[in-house]
Amino acid sequence: MKFVYDVSFELTSTDGLIFEDEIEIFDFRLKSETDAVSKNKIIGYTTIELDKDDYRLAKEVALRKIHQDLLPYLILKSRSGYRVERIHVNLRPIIREEGKVKTIEIRNCLELQVVLYSFKIISLDNFADFLQELQYLKDKIERLSEGDRKDLLRAIRFWNRGAIDHDGIDKFINFFIAFEIIGKNLVSNWKKGNKKFNLERDWANVLREECERRYGLSFRYSGKTANAIRAGILHYHTTRLSKEEAEELANAYANDFGRDIFELVVRFIEERSKS
């Protein structure tokens, strides 16, 4: 028995495409809308079929379909990024016939979500202290060399991409780019004048050893290094970790990795602003 789900979703983009009328692309119907704050968005519709009645699985399959069968083409055509803001799946009525009796089964799926946010409320009473903290941080960043500041801002940009990404593997890879930018900068400074040191070949081991000694950061997750996980994801023939193992670890520890890198960024600012 096939279970058919109707899927609706919203895509947002800073630039992107605007459709003057409803159009069809492959297995998707799309139309553009502008909300009250003039934010352009695309409303999309499609369907999926499953062999079982599973609302959560249906949502996962629908999201995967959007990312694999639609977004790559929109991105390549518009040279813009898109974010899936909302996605809803609804099971179509199930028609059962037993002899002369026909029954129509209609289900409404309500997905309950508990999302916790930790906001720091800046009231008038503590605004002066908050502003002072920002100025302190600004002063430190301005004391960085031009090269250090560029590396820092680039690393933060990739860290932010990882922080807002919902896909654990993409999140891990974006975090790793930030890790590599900051890490190579730090290691290059630590090994300055050492002619035997090869930055491209040796930076990861030196960084891990020094970070553990200096900051208590090992960048190991379930016994595997961040470098091994990244290599397993991107280089299928690595002998240390299979692609499947690496992806499982990335999904499980991406957030932990991100927190460790954030700590490394803070240490970078503190250390390099004094030099």
Side-chain angles (χ1 to χ4, degrees):
M1 181 177 179
K2 294 290 184 181
F3 297 87
V4 181
Y5 290 83
D6 290 310
V7 181
S8 63
F9 57 92
E10 293 182 9
L11 304 176
T12 59
S13 174
T14 53
D15 297 304
L17 302 168
I18 297 177
F19 305 114
E20 292 185 348
D21 203 349
E22 185 173 295
I23 64 165
E24 290 189 14
I25 298 179
F26 309 131
D27 193 30
F28 298 86
R29 289 186 294 114
L30 305 174
K31 63 180 181 180
S32 295
E33 285 188 1
T34 302
D35 62 17
V37 293
S38 298
K39 181 180 179 182
N40 292 319
K41 59 185 176 182
I42 295 174
I43 309 299
Y45 305 92
T46 189
T47 60
I48 60 168
E49 289 187 358
L50 295 180
D51 293 327
K52 59 180 179 178
D53 180 5
D54 188 329
Y55 175 79
R56 293 188 182 276
L57 178 61
K59 193 169 185 179
E60 292 175 8
V61 172
L63 192 58
R64 187 161 58 245
K65 179 179 179 181
I66 294 166
H67 279 286
Q68 293 179 354
D69 299 340
L70 176 64
L71 288 189
Y73 304 98
L74 296 183
I75 291 168
L76 288 171
K77 186 62 179 174
S78 65
R79 296 177 179 265
S80 298
Y82 294 84
R83 186 168 187 167
V84 181
E85 293 287 353
R86 295 184 179 86
I87 180 168
H88 301 285
V89 295
N90 293 301
L91 181 64
R92 285 186 182 176
I94 301 170
I95 301 175
R96 306 179 189 274
E97 294 187 22
E98 296 181 6
K100 296 182 179 180
V101 178
K102 179 185 291 186
T103 59
I104 300 176
E105 184 177 333
I106 301 175
R107 302 184 191 181
N108 288 321
C109 297
L110 177 63
E111 183 180 19
L112 298 177
Q113 293 182 332
V114 178
V115 182
L116 299 180
Y117 295 96
S118 180
F119 292 101
K120 182 178 181 180
I121 299 174
I122 310 301
S123 65
L124 289 177
D125 292 337
N126 62 20
F127 179 73
D129 291 338
F130 173 72
L131 189 60
Q132 187 176 10
E133 292 169 3
L134 286 186
Q135 187 62 52
Y136 175 78
L137 184 59
K138 185 174 185 291
D139 291 342
K140 281 188 171 293
I141 292 175
E142 289 180 346
R143 286 201 294 269
L144 297 174
S145 69
E146 183 179 353
D148 286 349
R149 190 158 55 246
K150 284 183 177 179
D151 281 350
L152 172 69
L153 296 178
R154 188 174 294 114
I156 289 174
R157 192 159 60 246
F158 278 102
W159 186 92
N160 184 60
R161 291 179 187 177
I164 65 175
D165 207 308
H166 296 299
D167 183 274
I169 296 169
D170 291 343
K171 182 188 289 283
F172 192 94
I173 294 300
N174 278 305
F175 282 151
F176 190 90
I177 296 172
F179 175 61
E180 187 171 19
I181 293 168
I182 289 293
K184 283 186 174 181
N185 185 308
L186 283 169
V187 170
S188 178
N189 187 64
W190 294 335
K191 291 293 182 178
K192 190 179 294 182
N194 186 341
K195 295 182 179 180
K196 295 182 179 180
F197 174 70
N198 185 312
L199 182 63
E200 289 302 319
R201 184 191 64 211
D202 301 329
W203 74 271
N205 289 331
V206 173
L207 179 66
R208 244 186 354 265
E209 292 170 2
E210 286 296 310
C211 281
E212 192 152 24
R213 183 177 69 84
R214 294 169 184 248
Y215 316 135
L217 298 171
S218 68
F219 295 103
R220 288 183 180 273
Y221 307 96
S222 194
K224 304 297 182 182
T225 67
N227 298 73
I229 297 171
R230 178 256 185 196
I233 294 171
L234 298 181
H235 306 295
Y236 298 172
H237 301 297
T238 178
T239 57
R240 289 181 293 174
L241 207 60
S242 71
K243 182 174 184 291
E244 291 73 23
E245 291 172 324
E247 289 182 348
E248 184 177 346
L249 288 170
N251 278 311
Y253 293 103
N255 289 328
D256 293 334
F257 186 37
R259 283 191 289 269
D260 289 345
I261 295 165
F262 191 88
E263 178 64 24
L264 186 64
V265 168
V266 172
R267 299 285 188 166
F268 174 86
I269 296 171
E270 291 290 336
E271 184 171 315
R272 301 308 291 273
S273 63
K274 294 176 182 177
S275 58

